[in-house]
Amino acid sequence: MAFKPNYNQQRAERNRAKEQRKQEKLQRREEEVAARRAGNQTDGDQTDAEQSGQDDADAQDDAVPTDTDTKIDTNNA
């Protein structure tokens, strides 16, 4: 004769499997995030360097007056 089904044991096995899948998915996502962050840090350093170079150029432009800064309206004269 077959064994009587042990529903609590079956449920516990399902819950363990479910929890294991959740942990694997969480770990996989954390690894992907870490990989993206590691990739973005190198790109971010280049972007920061480019932006600081642009900021320096903008500061130099502000120090030197240009034609557009001192434009005189000659049409009304």
Coordinates of all heavy atoms in Angstrom, one line a residue:
M1 N 0.8 -1.2 0.0 CA 0.0 0.0 0.0 C 0.9 1.2 0.0 O 2.0 1.3 0.6 CB -0.9 0.0 1.2 CG -1.9 1.1 1.2 SD -2.8 0.8 2.7 CE -4.2 1.7 2.5
A2 N 0.4 2.3 -0.7 CA 1.2 3.5 -0.8 C 1.2 4.3 0.5 O 0.3 4.1 1.4 CB 0.6 4.4 -1.9
F3 N 2.1 5.1 0.7 CA 2.2 6.0 1.9 C 1.1 7.0 1.9 O 0.8 7.5 0.8 CB 3.5 6.6 2.0 CG 4.6 5.7 2.4 CD1 5.6 5.3 1.4 CD2 4.8 5.2 3.7 CE1 6.6 4.4 1.7 CE2 5.8 4.3 4.0 CZ 6.7 3.9 3.0
K4 N 0.7 7.4 3.0 CA -0.3 8.5 3.1 C 0.5 9.8 2.8 O 1.6 10.0 3.3 CB -0.8 8.5 4.6 CG -1.9 9.5 4.8 CD -2.5 9.2 6.2 CE -2.4 10.5 7.0 NZ -3.0 10.3 8.3
P5 N -0.1 10.7 2.0 CA 0.6 11.9 1.7 C 0.8 12.8 2.9 O 0.0 13.0 3.8 CB -0.3 12.6 0.7 CG -1.6 11.9 0.7 CD -1.4 10.6 1.4
N6 N 2.1 13.3 3.0 CA 2.4 14.2 4.1 C 2.4 15.7 3.5 O 3.4 16.1 3.0 CB 3.8 13.9 4.6 CG 4.1 14.6 5.9 OD1 3.5 15.6 6.2 ND2 5.1 14.2 6.6
Y7 N 1.3 16.3 3.6 CA 1.2 17.6 3.0 C 2.1 18.7 3.6 O 2.6 19.5 2.8 CB -0.3 18.1 3.0 CG -1.2 17.2 2.3 CD1 -2.1 16.4 2.9 CD2 -1.2 17.1 0.9 CE1 -3.0 15.6 2.2 CE2 -2.0 16.3 0.1 CZ -2.9 15.5 0.8 OH -3.7 14.7 0.1
N8 N 2.3 18.6 4.9 CA 3.2 19.6 5.5 C 4.6 19.4 4.9 O 5.3 20.4 4.7 CB 3.2 19.4 7.0 CG 1.9 19.9 7.6 OD1 1.2 20.7 7.1 ND2 1.5 19.3 8.7
Q9 N 5.1 18.2 4.8 CA 6.4 18.0 4.2 C 6.5 18.5 2.8 O 7.5 19.2 2.4 CB 6.8 16.5 4.3 CG 8.2 16.2 3.8 CD 8.5 14.8 3.8 OE1 7.6 13.9 3.9 NE2 9.8 14.5 3.6
Q10 N 5.5 18.2 2.0 CA 5.5 18.7 0.6 C 5.5 20.2 0.5 O 6.2 20.8 -0.3 CB 4.3 18.1 -0.1 CG 4.3 16.6 -0.3 CD 3.0 16.1 -0.9 OE1 2.0 16.8 -1.0 NE2 3.0 14.8 -1.2
R11 N 4.7 20.8 1.4 CA 4.6 22.3 1.4 C 6.0 22.9 1.8 O 6.5 23.9 1.3 CB 3.5 22.8 2.4 CG 3.5 24.3 2.5 CD 2.4 24.8 3.4 NE 1.2 24.6 2.7 CZ 0.0 24.6 3.3 NH1 -0.1 24.7 4.6 NH2 -1.1 24.5 2.6
A12 N 6.6 22.3 2.8 CA 7.9 22.7 3.3 C 9.0 22.6 2.2 O 9.8 23.5 2.0 CB 8.4 21.9 4.5
E13 N 8.9 21.5 1.4 CA 9.8 21.4 0.3 C 9.6 22.4 -0.8 O 10.5 23.0 -1.3 CB 9.7 20.0 -0.3 CG 10.2 18.9 0.5 CD 10.0 17.5 -0.1 OE1 9.5 17.4 -1.2 OE2 10.3 16.5 0.6
R14 N 8.3 22.7 -1.1 CA 8.0 23.7 -2.1 C 8.5 25.1 -1.6 O 9.0 25.9 -2.3 CB 6.5 23.8 -2.3 CG 6.0 22.6 -3.2 CD 4.6 22.9 -3.7 NE 3.6 23.2 -2.6 CZ 2.8 22.4 -2.0 NH1 2.9 21.1 -2.3 NH2 2.0 22.8 -1.0
N15 N 8.3 25.4 -0.3 CA 8.7 26.7 0.3 C 10.2 26.8 0.2 O 10.7 27.9 0.0 CB 8.2 26.9 1.7 CG 6.7 27.1 1.7 OD1 6.1 27.5 0.7 ND2 6.0 26.9 2.8
R16 N 10.9 25.7 0.5 CA 12.4 25.8 0.5 C 12.9 26.0 -0.9 O 13.8 26.8 -1.2 CB 13.0 24.4 1.0 CG 13.2 24.4 2.5 CD 14.0 23.2 2.9 NE 13.4 21.9 2.6 CZ 12.6 21.3 3.5 NH1 12.4 21.8 4.7 NH2 12.1 20.1 3.2
A17 N 12.3 25.3 -1.9 CA 12.6 25.5 -3.3 C 12.3 27.0 -3.7 O 13.2 27.6 -4.4 CB 11.9 24.5 -4.2
K18 N 11.2 27.5 -3.3 CA 10.8 28.8 -3.7 C 11.8 29.8 -3.1 O 12.2 30.8 -3.8 CB 9.4 29.1 -3.2 CG 8.9 30.5 -3.5 CD 7.4 30.6 -2.9 CE 6.9 32.0 -3.2 NZ 5.5 32.1 -2.6
E19 N 12.2 29.7 -1.8 CA 13.1 30.5 -1.2 C 14.5 30.5 -1.8 O 15.2 31.5 -2.0 CB 13.2 30.2 0.3 CG 14.0 31.2 1.1 CD 13.3 32.6 1.2 OE1 12.1 32.6 1.1 OE2 14.0 33.6 1.3
Q20 N 14.9 29.3 -2.2 CA 16.2 29.1 -2.9 C 16.2 29.9 -4.2 O 17.1 30.5 -4.6 CB 16.5 27.6 -3.1 CG 17.8 27.4 -3.7 CD 18.1 25.9 -3.9 OE1 17.3 25.1 -3.7 NE2 19.3 25.6 -4.3
R21 N 15.1 29.8 -5.0 CA 15.0 30.5 -6.3 C 15.0 32.0 -6.0 O 15.7 32.7 -6.8 CB 13.7 30.1 -7.0 CG 13.7 28.8 -7.6 CD 12.5 28.6 -8.6 NE 11.2 28.8 -7.9 CZ 10.5 27.8 -7.3 NH1 10.9 26.6 -7.3 NH2 9.3 28.1 -6.8
K22 N 14.4 32.5 -5.0 CA 14.4 33.9 -4.7 C 15.8 34.4 -4.4 O 16.2 35.4 -4.8 CB 13.4 34.2 -3.5 CG 12.0 34.1 -3.9 CD 11.1 34.2 -2.6 CE 10.7 35.6 -2.3 NZ 9.7 35.6 -1.1
Q23 N 16.5 33.6 -3.6 CA 17.9 33.9 -3.2 C 18.8 34.0 -4.4 O 19.6 34.9 -4.6 CB 18.4 33.0 -2.1 CG 17.8 33.1 -0.8 CD 18.0 34.5 -0.2 OE1 19.0 35.1 -0.3 NE2 17.0 35.0 0.5
E24 N 18.7 33.0 -5.3 CA 19.5 32.9 -6.5 C 19.2 34.2 -7.4 O 20.1 34.8 -8.0 CB 19.2 31.7 -7.3 CG 19.8 30.4 -6.6 CD 19.3 29.1 -7.3 OE1 18.5 29.2 -8.2 OE2 19.8 28.1 -6.8
K25 N 17.9 34.5 -7.5 CA 17.5 35.7 -8.3 C 18.1 37.0 -7.7 O 18.6 37.8 -8.4 CB 16.0 35.7 -8.4 CG 15.5 36.8 -9.3 CD 14.0 36.8 -9.4 CE 13.4 37.8 -10.3 NZ 12.0 37.8 -10.4
L26 N 18.0 37.1 -6.4 CA 18.5 38.3 -5.7 C 20.0 38.4 -5.9 O 20.5 39.4 -6.2 CB 18.2 38.2 -4.2 CG 18.6 39.4 -3.4 CD1 18.0 40.7 -3.8 CD2 18.3 39.1 -1.9
Q27 N 20.7 37.3 -5.8 CA 22.2 37.3 -5.9 C 22.5 37.6 -7.4 O 23.4 38.4 -7.6 CB 22.7 35.9 -5.6 CG 24.2 35.8 -5.7 CD 24.8 34.4 -5.3 OE1 24.0 33.5 -5.0 NE2 26.1 34.3 -5.3
R28 N 21.8 37.1 -8.4 CA 22.1 37.4 -9.8 C 21.8 38.9 -10.0 O 22.7 39.5 -10.7 CB 21.1 36.5 -10.6 CG 21.5 36.6 -12.1 CD 20.7 35.5 -12.9 NE 19.2 35.6 -12.7 CZ 18.5 34.7 -12.1 NH1 19.1 33.6 -11.7 NH2 17.2 34.8 -12.0
R29 N 20.8 39.4 -9.5 CA 20.5 40.9 -9.7 C 21.6 41.7 -9.0 O 22.0 42.7 -9.6 CB 19.2 41.2 -9.1 CG 18.0 40.8 -9.9 CD 16.7 41.4 -9.4 NE 15.6 41.0 -10.2 CZ 14.4 41.5 -10.1 NH1 14.1 42.3 -9.1 NH2 13.5 41.2 -10.9
E30 N 22.1 41.4 -7.8 CA 23.1 42.1 -7.1 C 24.4 42.1 -8.0 O 25.1 43.1 -8.1 CB 23.3 41.6 -5.7 CG 22.2 41.9 -4.8 CD 22.4 41.3 -3.4 OE1 23.3 40.4 -3.3 OE2 21.6 41.6 -2.5
E31 N 24.7 40.9 -8.6 CA 25.9 40.8 -9.4 C 25.8 41.7 -10.6 O 26.8 42.4 -11.0 CB 26.1 39.3 -9.8 CG 26.6 38.4 -8.7 CD 26.6 37.0 -9.1 OE1 26.2 36.6 -10.2 OE2 27.0 36.2 -8.2
E32 N 24.6 41.7 -11.2 CA 24.4 42.6 -12.4 C 24.5 44.1 -12.0 O 25.2 44.8 -12.8 CB 23.0 42.3 -13.0 CG 22.9 41.0 -13.7 CD 21.5 40.7 -14.1 OE1 20.6 41.5 -13.8 OE2 21.3 39.6 -14.7
V33 N 24.0 44.4 -10.9 CA 24.1 45.8 -10.4 C 25.6 46.2 -10.2 O 26.1 47.2 -10.6 CB 23.3 46.1 -9.1 CG1 23.6 47.4 -8.5 CG2 21.8 46.0 -9.5
A34 N 26.3 45.3 -9.5 CA 27.7 45.5 -9.2 C 28.5 45.6 -10.5 O 29.4 46.5 -10.7 CB 28.3 44.4 -8.4
A35 N 28.2 44.8 -11.5 CA 28.9 44.9 -12.8 C 28.6 46.2 -13.5 O 29.5 46.9 -14.1 CB 28.4 43.7 -13.7
R36 N 27.3 46.7 -13.4 CA 26.9 48.0 -14.0 C 27.7 49.1 -13.3 O 28.2 50.0 -14.0 CB 25.4 48.2 -14.0 CG 24.7 47.5 -15.1 CD 23.2 48.0 -15.2 NE 22.5 48.1 -13.9 CZ 21.7 47.1 -13.5 NH1 21.4 46.1 -14.3 NH2 21.0 47.3 -12.4
R37 N 27.7 49.0 -12.0 CA 28.4 50.1 -11.3 C 29.9 50.1 -11.6 O 30.4 51.2 -11.7 CB 28.1 49.9 -9.8 CG 26.7 50.3 -9.3 CD 26.6 50.2 -7.9 NE 25.2 50.5 -7.5 CZ 24.7 50.3 -6.3 NH1 25.4 49.8 -5.4 NH2 23.4 50.7 -6.1
A38 N 30.5 49.0 -11.7 CA 31.9 48.9 -12.0 C 32.1 49.5 -13.4 O 33.1 50.2 -13.6 CB 32.4 47.5 -11.9
G39 N 31.2 49.2 -14.3 CA 31.3 49.7 -15.7 C 31.1 51.2 -15.7 O 31.7 52.0 -16.4
N40 N 30.1 51.7 -14.9 CA 29.8 53.1 -14.9 C 30.9 54.0 -14.2 O 31.0 55.1 -14.5 CB 28.5 53.4 -14.2 CG 27.3 52.9 -15.1 OD1 27.5 52.7 -16.3 ND2 26.1 52.8 -14.5
Q41 N 31.6 53.4 -13.3 CA 32.6 54.2 -12.6 C 33.7 54.6 -13.5 O 34.2 55.7 -13.5 CB 33.2 53.4 -11.4 CG 32.2 53.3 -10.2 CD 32.8 52.4 -9.1 OE1 33.8 51.8 -9.2 NE2 32.1 52.4 -8.0
T42 N 34.1 53.7 -14.4 CA 35.2 54.1 -15.4 C 34.6 55.1 -16.4 O 35.2 56.1 -16.7 CB 35.7 52.8 -16.1 OG1 34.6 52.2 -16.8 CG2 36.4 51.9 -15.2
D43 N 33.3 54.9 -16.8 CA 32.7 55.9 -17.7 C 32.5 57.2 -17.0 O 32.7 58.2 -17.5 CB 31.4 55.3 -18.2 CG 31.6 54.1 -19.1 OD1 32.7 53.9 -19.6 OD2 30.6 53.4 -19.4
G44 N 32.1 57.1 -15.7 CA 31.8 58.3 -15.0 C 33.1 59.1 -14.7 O 33.1 60.3 -14.8
D45 N 34.2 58.5 -14.6 CA 35.5 59.2 -14.4 C 35.8 60.0 -15.7 O 36.2 61.1 -15.6 CB 36.6 58.3 -14.1 CG 36.5 57.6 -12.7 OD1 35.7 58.2 -11.9 OD2 37.1 56.6 -12.4
Q46 N 35.6 59.4 -16.8 CA 35.9 60.1 -18.1 C 34.9 61.2 -18.2 O 35.3 62.3 -18.7 CB 35.7 59.1 -19.2 CG 36.8 58.1 -19.3 CD 36.6 57.0 -20.3 OE1 35.5 57.0 -21.0 NE2 37.5 56.1 -20.5
T47 N 33.6 61.0 -17.9 CA 32.6 62.0 -18.0 C 33.0 63.2 -17.1 O 32.9 64.4 -17.5 CB 31.2 61.5 -17.7 OG1 31.0 60.4 -18.6 CG2 30.2 62.5 -17.9
D48 N 33.4 62.9 -15.9 CA 33.7 64.0 -14.9 C 34.9 64.8 -15.5 O 34.9 66.0 -15.4 CB 34.1 63.4 -13.6 CG 32.9 62.8 -12.8 OD1 31.7 63.2 -13.3 OD2 33.0 62.0 -11.9
A49 N 35.9 64.1 -16.0 CA 37.1 64.8 -16.6 C 36.7 65.7 -17.7 O 37.1 66.8 -17.9 CB 38.1 63.8 -17.0
E50 N 35.8 65.2 -18.6 CA 35.3 66.0 -19.7 C 34.5 67.2 -19.2 O 34.6 68.3 -19.7 CB 34.5 65.1 -20.7 CG 35.2 64.1 -21.4 CD 34.4 63.1 -22.1 OE1 33.1 63.3 -22.1 OE2 34.9 62.2 -22.8
Q51 N 33.6 66.9 -18.2 CA 32.8 68.0 -17.7 C 33.7 69.1 -17.0 O 33.5 70.3 -17.2 CB 31.8 67.5 -16.7 CG 30.7 66.7 -17.4 CD 29.7 66.2 -16.5 OE1 29.9 66.2 -15.2 NE2 28.6 65.6 -17.0
S52 N 34.7 68.7 -16.3 CA 35.6 69.6 -15.6 C 36.3 70.4 -16.7 O 36.5 71.6 -16.5 CB 36.5 69.0 -14.6 OG 37.4 68.1 -15.4
G53 N 36.7 69.8 -17.8 CA 37.4 70.6 -18.9 C 36.4 71.6 -19.5 O 36.8 72.7 -19.8
Q54 N 35.1 71.2 -19.6 CA 34.2 72.1 -20.2 C 33.9 73.2 -19.2 O 33.7 74.4 -19.6 CB 32.9 71.4 -20.5 CG 33.0 70.4 -21.7 CD 31.8 69.6 -21.9 OE1 30.9 69.6 -21.1 NE2 31.8 68.8 -23.0
D55 N 33.8 72.9 -17.9 CA 33.6 74.0 -16.9 C 34.7 75.0 -16.9 O 34.5 76.2 -16.8 CB 33.5 73.4 -15.5 CG 32.2 72.5 -15.4 OD1 31.2 72.7 -16.2 OD2 32.1 71.7 -14.5
D56 N 36.0 74.5 -17.1 CA 37.1 75.4 -17.1 C 37.0 76.3 -18.3 O 37.3 77.5 -18.3 CB 38.5 74.6 -17.1 CG 38.7 73.9 -15.8 OD1 38.1 74.2 -14.8 OD2 39.5 72.9 -15.8
A57 N 36.6 75.7 -19.5 CA 36.5 76.5 -20.7 C 35.4 77.6 -20.5 O 35.5 78.7 -21.0 CB 36.2 75.6 -21.9
D58 N 34.3 77.2 -19.9 CA 33.2 78.1 -19.6 C 33.7 79.3 -18.7 O 33.3 80.4 -18.9 CB 32.0 77.4 -19.0 CG 31.3 76.5 -20.0 OD1 31.5 76.6 -21.2 OD2 30.6 75.6 -19.5
A59 N 34.5 78.9 -17.7 CA 35.0 80.0 -16.8 C 35.9 80.9 -17.6 O 35.9 82.1 -17.3 CB 35.7 79.3 -15.6
Q60 N 36.7 80.4 -18.5 CA 37.6 81.3 -19.2 C 36.8 82.1 -20.2 O 37.1 83.3 -20.4 CB 38.6 80.4 -20.0 CG 39.6 79.7 -19.2 CD 40.5 78.8 -20.0 OE1 40.3 78.6 -21.1 NE2 41.5 78.2 -19.3
D61 N 35.7 81.6 -20.7 CA 34.9 82.4 -21.6 C 34.2 83.5 -20.9 O 34.0 84.6 -21.4 CB 33.8 81.5 -22.3 CG 34.4 80.5 -23.3 OD1 35.5 80.8 -23.8 OD2 33.7 79.6 -23.6
D62 N 33.8 83.3 -19.6 CA 33.2 84.3 -18.8 C 34.2 85.4 -18.5 O 33.8 86.6 -18.4 CB 32.6 83.7 -17.6 CG 31.4 82.8 -17.9 OD1 30.8 83.0 -18.9 OD2 31.1 82.0 -17.0
A63 N 35.4 85.1 -18.4 CA 36.4 86.1 -18.0 C 36.8 87.0 -19.2 O 37.1 88.2 -19.0 CB 37.7 85.4 -17.5
V64 N 36.7 86.5 -20.4 CA 37.0 87.3 -21.6 C 35.7 87.7 -22.2 O 34.9 86.9 -22.6 CB 37.8 86.5 -22.6 CG1 38.2 87.3 -23.8 CG2 39.1 85.9 -21.9
P65 N 35.5 89.1 -22.4 CA 34.3 89.5 -23.0 C 34.3 89.2 -24.5 O 35.4 89.3 -25.1 CB 34.3 91.0 -22.8 CG 35.7 91.4 -22.4 CD 36.3 90.2 -21.9
T66 N 33.2 88.8 -25.0 CA 33.1 88.5 -26.4 C 32.2 89.5 -27.1 O 31.6 90.4 -26.5 CB 32.5 87.1 -26.6 OG1 31.2 87.1 -26.0 CG2 33.3 86.0 -26.0
D67 N 32.1 89.4 -28.4 CA 31.3 90.3 -29.2 C 29.8 90.2 -28.7 O 29.1 91.2 -28.7 CB 31.4 90.0 -30.6 CG 32.8 90.4 -31.2 OD1 33.5 91.1 -30.5 OD2 33.1 89.8 -32.3
T68 N 29.3 89.0 -28.4 CA 27.9 88.9 -28.0 C 27.7 89.5 -26.6 O 26.6 90.0 -26.3 CB 27.5 87.4 -28.0 OG1 28.4 86.7 -27.1 CG2 27.6 86.8 -29.4
D69 N 28.7 89.5 -25.7 CA 28.6 90.1 -24.4 C 28.5 91.7 -24.5 O 27.8 92.3 -23.7 CB 29.7 89.7 -23.5 CG 29.7 88.2 -23.2 OD1 28.6 87.6 -23.3 OD2 30.7 87.7 -22.8
T70 N 29.2 92.3 -25.4 CA 29.3 93.7 -25.5 C 28.7 94.2 -26.8 O 29.1 95.2 -27.4 CB 30.8 94.2 -25.4 OG1 31.5 93.5 -26.5 CG2 31.4 93.8 -24.1
K71 N 27.6 93.6 -27.3 CA 27.0 93.9 -28.5 C 26.3 95.2 -28.4 O 25.6 95.5 -27.5 CB 26.0 92.8 -28.9 CG 25.5 93.0 -30.3 CD 24.7 91.7 -30.7 CE 24.2 91.9 -32.1 NZ 23.4 90.8 -32.5
I72 N 26.6 96.1 -29.4 CA 26.0 97.4 -29.5 C 24.9 97.4 -30.6 O 25.2 97.0 -31.7 CB 27.0 98.5 -29.7 CG1 28.1 98.5 -28.6 CG2 26.4 99.8 -29.9 CD1 29.3 99.4 -28.9
D73 N 23.8 97.9 -30.2 CA 22.7 98.0 -31.2 C 23.0 99.2 -32.1 O 22.8 100.3 -31.7 CB 21.4 98.1 -30.5 CG 20.2 98.0 -31.5 OD1 20.4 97.5 -32.7 OD2 19.1 98.3 -31.1
T74 N 23.4 99.0 -33.3 CA 23.7 100.1 -34.3 C 22.5 100.4 -35.1 O 22.5 101.4 -35.9 CB 24.9 99.7 -35.1 OG1 24.6 98.5 -35.8 CG2 26.1 99.5 -34.3
N75 N 21.4 99.7 -35.1 CA 20.3 99.9 -36.0 C 19.5 101.2 -35.5 O 18.9 101.9 -36.3 CB 19.4 98.7 -36.0 CG 20.0 97.6 -36.7 OD1 20.9 97.7 -37.6 ND2 19.6 96.3 -36.4
N76 N 19.5 101.4 -34.2 CA 18.7 102.5 -33.7 C 19.5 103.8 -33.6 O 19.0 104.9 -33.3 CB 18.1 102.2 -32.3 CG 17.1 101.1 -32.4 OD1 16.5 100.9 -33.4 ND2 17.0 100.3 -31.3
A77 N 20.7 103.8 -34.0 CA 21.6 105.0 -33.8 C 21.4 106.0 -34.9 O 21.0 105.9 -36.0 CB 23.0 104.6 -33.7

